[in-house]
Amino acid sequence: MFDLERWQEIFYSISQNKLRTFLSGFTITLGLFIFIILFGMGNGLQNGFMEQFINRASNVITFKPGKASEAFLGLQENRTITLKNEDLDLIDKEHGKNLEYKTSQFSKPNTPIVFGKETGYYTVQGTYPDKQYIEKVTLTAGRFITKNDMDSRNKFAVIGRLVERDLFKRENALGKYISIAGINYRVIGTYTDEGGDAEERIIYTPLTTMQLNDKNSDTIKQIDISYTPTMDPKRAIELGKNIDRDLRAKLKISPTDKSGLYLRNTAEAMGNTFAILTVITVLVLFIGFGTIIAGIIGISNIMVFIVKERTKEIGIRKALGARPSSIVGLILQESIFITIISGFAGVGLGVLTLNLIGNKFDRYFILNPSVNWSTIITATICLIFFGAIAGFIPAKKAAKIKPIEALRSE
């Protein structure tokens, strides 16, 4: 490996056969380049899909009441279903050990909100403290609703970034009062939400306060729960069905009535998404490894041609006393050297191209395309290994030819 004379021979051979060296190296460079680009774009597509699920926690089950379409247990069809506080309590009692967060909400859209001379219309949502974690709300100042706020029915409000921008302009909203449907609430927090502008135009208040101001009712319009993150999708889907069955039994809704109670379980959506991602990943892997195999076949063909072209040279070397092992070693070392240099070029170009692409295709769900170094190193080692085999087999065959036969070859 560190034989100076051998390296001098290798560099001399390369300098005398630039086109041949370029063609053999180009196949390797192109194979790795295409592999890295395909793999990186596949990962970017996966990142893009996953990004769609970070606006809310990815383990959420939601229940919304509807209108019964079937008569059931003596009750008429077309009756409006109403959820109450006790329904969340029932879920907590029967399935609490499987839950991470839970909240119910009471919303009023297009509610007039006034601060000074400014007026806007926003959705006001009475909710639990856990809403912050279910919606992945990021506080920018102050705090979110607490259990004490719920118990004391405090007139507190946590406002979105766009509500603050619209009503307070450049003022600090924290500690100031806004009028919600004619009742003053103190702003105790501001937040941002990656879910988009609509999510940042919501005002959160304690659910109990909102119900008190709504004729002291105990009705709710939606229940959100998140199951424990360690739960697998199959169990999460089963949990959603069990809760749905319990609620239907309590509310006297037929098990076959699809419009009486709506269930949305992200485990099902995630399952579909992961199925799509699995197909994409398999497809990318298939194409990527197909590219690598094509590169290996290309190297093999070129090495066979190179060794055949050097048959006469090999014959001269043997006539001068060179051993077959030294001839094989020389060709093998040259083959590995060209493969490594070309592999580095392919990796460098691939990584550089992915960095230049960056997030320019985020509109097509391709986000942060990249390939981890373990994959790159594995692919490079595979190419070097098979490149070495591709050079070894014809070199060994050529080294067995008698000098006189080699010298006669064309």
Side-chain angles (χ1 to χ4, degrees):
M1 179 65 75
F2 299 104
D3 188 333
L4 182 59
E5 289 186 3
R6 178 176 287 185
W7 279 111
Q8 287 176 337
E9 284 188 59
I10 290 172
F11 285 119
Y12 178 77
S13 173
I14 291 173
S15 65
Q16 294 300 308
N17 301 279
K18 294 184 180 69
L19 179 61
R20 184 189 73 195
T21 305
F22 171 78
L23 289 175
S24 58
F26 179 75
T27 306
I28 300 162
T29 301
L30 184 64
L32 271 175
F33 174 77
I34 294 175
F35 176 79
I36 290 172
I37 294 298
L38 283 174
F39 226 87
M41 297 300 270
N43 285 336
L45 198 57
Q46 188 168 349
N47 294 337
F49 270 94
M50 293 303 296
E51 179 72 9
Q52 301 304 308
F53 287 89
I54 68 169
N55 295 330
R56 293 186 96 202
S58 58
N59 54 335
V60 175
I61 303 175
T62 298
F63 296 93
K64 283 184 178 180
K67 184 173 281 191
S69 61
E70 299 177 20
F72 188 66
L73 296 178
L75 298 176
Q76 297 295 319
E77 60 182 344
N78 292 325
R79 68 186 188 282
T80 300
I81 304 299
T82 303
L83 288 175
K84 296 184 177 180
N85 292 336
E86 61 192 34
D87 295 317
L88 181 61
D89 296 337
L90 171 68
I91 295 173
D92 190 31
K93 180 183 176 183
E94 298 295 330
H95 306 280
K97 63 180 180 181
N98 293 316
L99 305 183
E100 182 185 28
Y101 301 113
K102 59 183 181 299
T103 181
S104 51
Q105 69 180 51
F106 186 93
S107 301
K108 283 193 172 181
N110 296 317
T111 303
I113 311 295
V114 179
F115 173 72
K117 297 180 180 179
E118 302 292 337
T119 301
Y121 292 84
Y122 305 94
T123 295
V124 181
Q125 195 174 104
T127 190
Y128 277 55
D130 285 1
K131 187 73 172 182
Q132 177 185 357
Y133 307 106
I134 290 177
E135 286 293 339
K136 288 196 171 183
V137 165
T138 303
L139 289 171
T140 52
R143 64 174 176 83
F144 203 72
I145 297 161
T146 64
K147 183 176 181 302
N148 183 57
D149 297 332
M150 297 280 291
D151 295 339
S152 303
R153 298 184 176 183
N154 289 328
K155 294 184 180 64
F156 289 163
V158 181
I159 64 175
R161 179 182 63 90
L162 295 182
V163 178
E164 182 182 30
R165 188 197 66 181
D166 294 347
L167 296 181
F168 292 87
K169 307 302 179 188
R170 295 183 179 180
E171 287 187 50
N172 183 359
L174 213 61
K176 294 186 172 63
Y177 285 84
I178 56 175
S179 172
I180 300 178
I183 301 174
N184 287 333
Y185 285 70
R186 185 157 64 94
V187 177
I188 60 168
T190 57
Y191 71 89
T192 60
D193 191 321
E194 294 185 358
D197 290 356
E199 299 293 329
E200 293 184 327
R201 286 197 165 93
I202 295 175
I203 299 172
Y204 295 113
T205 69
L207 174 68
T208 49
T209 306
M210 197 161 177
Q211 288 178 325
L212 178 67
N213 294 333
D214 190 59
K215 302 176 183 177
N216 200 20
S217 71
D218 63 346
T219 60
I220 53 180
K221 294 186 177 180
Q222 181 172 312
I223 292 175
D224 292 321
I225 59 168
S226 65
Y227 49 86
T228 50
T230 55
M231 187 179 294
D232 62 70
K234 187 177 179 181
R235 283 185 58 209
I237 292 171
E238 191 63 31
L239 174 65
K241 290 179 179 177
N242 290 338
I243 296 174
D244 181 76
R245 180 198 60 208
D246 292 345
L247 285 176
R248 284 174 182 271
K250 178 180 178 297
L251 298 168
K252 297 181 180 178
I253 304 171
S254 168
T256 58
D257 188 345
K258 294 183 179 179
S259 63
L261 183 67
Y262 297 100
L263 159 66
R264 181 177 180 273
N265 192 337
T266 53
E268 296 179 12
M270 289 293 283
N272 294 334
T273 301
F274 281 126
I276 295 171
L277 288 177
T278 301
V279 172
I280 293 172
T281 303
V282 170
L283 188 63
V284 168
L285 282 173
F286 180 76
I287 296 173
F289 284 113
T291 306
I292 293 291
I293 291 171
I296 291 170
I297 293 173
I299 295 169
S300 304
N301 290 334
I302 289 174
M303 289 311 298
V304 169
F305 172 76
I306 289 173
V307 172
K308 187 176 181 181
E309 189 185 52
R310 297 175 69 174
T311 300
K312 188 172 286 185
E313 174 194 330
I314 291 170
I316 294 172
R317 287 176 179 275
K318 289 191 72 176
L320 293 174
R323 291 176 299 172
S325 59
S326 66
I327 294 171
V328 172
L330 178 67
I331 295 175
L332 199 60
Q333 192 169 326
E334 182 178 333
S335 170
I336 293 174
F337 176 71
I338 294 172
T339 306
I340 291 175
I341 297 299
S342 305
F344 284 159
V347 169
L349 286 173
V351 172
L352 178 64
T353 303
L354 287 180
N355 285 335
L356 290 174
I357 290 173
N359 290 330
K360 291 178 181 174
F361 296 110
D362 57 347
R363 70 180 67 177
Y364 303 110
F365 296 100
I366 297 174
L367 197 64
N368 188 26
S370 58
V371 182
N372 60 54
W373 282 103
S374 61
T375 303
I376 293 174
I377 291 171
T378 302
T380 306
I381 289 175
C382 282
L383 269 180
I384 292 173
F385 176 74
F386 287 106
I389 290 177
F392 175 76
I393 294 174
K396 190 177 180 182
K397 188 176 178 181
K400 289 180 178 177
I401 301 176
K402 293 179 181 178
I404 190 64
E405 293 176 2
L407 290 170
R408 286 176 180 171
S409 66
E410 295 298 333

